[in-house]
Amino acid sequence: MTEETPGFEEQPDVPSEAAKTPDDAAKGAGSADKAGPAAPAGDLEQVALQAQLDQVRTALNERTADLQRLQAEYQNYRRRVERDRVTVKEIAVASLLSELLPVLDDIGRARDHGELVGGFKSVGDSVEAVVAKLGLQQFGKEGEPFDPLIHEALMHSYAPDVTETTCVQILQPGYRIGERTIRPARVAVAEPQPGAAAGKGEGETAAPDEESGGPEEG
């Protein structure tokens, strides 16, 4: 009688690596080649974050440029509004003061004739103070060179003591507000005497002949 060893059971046959067929080995190698080396997960996340950061930077630069453009347009708008406001104010003040110029002329003539006295003098001084406060400036003086941009010549003459066209009499003073001329100064002008320079030149050239006693007789 044969004794059986307790606990021993037959195991099914398991094919080993060596027992695999060549076709099975080739299929496994092909699958490994197709899969390739796996990329680390950390690198993929870093690339994705960098792409998002670039998009955010691009959007930020675009919004910053838009904001700067809007700010520049707003500043230009404010300058235009302020310039227009000042211009409208100057035009309104100039229109008002233009109506007062005849009154100022009357006050000036009364002062020249010694008639600006008593209560009339106080009124005249007050009117001149108010228009000066509004920016009205008087110009035009005797002896200054004639400037057609600010002077209006009503009388013309010649004078031997002037070297250029000169205002010799102020018939009506001129008025301006800032750079805006409300009324040019109305003046009488004088120009140098015609032929004065030519006569002077002839006298200067004749002097050497007189000193030399004239040309010698042949």
Side-chain angles (χ1 to χ4, degrees):
M1 177 181 295
T2 306
E3 296 182 357
E4 295 180 359
T5 305
F8 178 80
E9 296 179 358
E10 294 182 357
Q11 301 292 333
D13 295 336
V14 179
S16 62
E17 293 293 334
K20 291 182 179 180
T21 63
D23 293 339
D24 294 338
K27 289 180 180 180
S31 299
D33 293 340
K34 290 180 181 180
D43 294 343
L44 295 177
E45 293 179 358
Q46 185 176 2
V47 172
L49 290 175
Q50 184 64 36
Q52 293 179 358
L53 181 61
D54 293 340
Q55 292 178 356
V56 171
R57 286 177 176 173
T58 301
L60 178 61
N61 292 334
E62 292 176 354
R63 300 300 179 271
T64 302
D66 293 340
L67 180 60
Q68 291 175 346
R69 182 171 58 255
L70 290 175
Q71 186 176 7
E73 292 177 355
Y74 177 68
Q75 293 295 334
N76 292 334
Y77 168 76
R78 286 188 60 185
R79 294 190 188 97
R80 288 196 302 271
V81 170
E82 181 65 19
R83 184 171 60 249
D84 293 343
R85 185 185 67 82
V86 172
T87 302
V88 170
K89 180 181 178 181
E90 288 181 352
I91 293 174
V93 172
S95 178
L96 172 62
L97 294 178
S98 296
E99 300 297 328
L100 293 176
L101 293 185
V103 177
L104 297 176
D105 292 336
D106 291 339
I107 294 174
R109 281 191 292 267
R111 180 180 290 108
D112 294 339
H113 291 83
E115 299 175 357
L116 195 63
V117 294
F120 185 45
K121 182 179 185 303
S122 299
V123 174
D125 293 342
S126 299
V127 172
E128 291 177 341
V130 169
V131 297
K133 186 176 180 180
L134 291 176
L136 186 66
Q137 299 176 354
Q138 185 183 103
F139 66 89
K141 295 181 180 180
E142 295 182 3
E144 64 184 8
F146 176 76
D147 185 352
L149 297 178
I150 60 174
H151 296 135
E152 180 181 354
L154 301 182
M155 298 176 62
H156 176 269
S157 62
Y158 295 97
D161 57 343
V162 297
T163 58
E164 59 181 342
T165 305
T166 305
C167 301
V168 294
Q169 184 180 359
I170 306 300
L171 304 177
Q172 278 187 333
Y175 291 96
R176 68 164 63 98
I177 297 179
E179 299 298 327
R180 183 189 300 272
T181 300
I182 297 179
R183 186 182 75 184
R186 293 166 180 171
V187 300
V189 299
E191 292 184 346
Q193 190 71 31
K200 184 178 179 181
E202 291 176 357
E204 291 178 352
T205 55
D209 292 336
E210 294 176 357
E211 292 178 0
S212 61
E216 296 181 358
E217 295 181 357

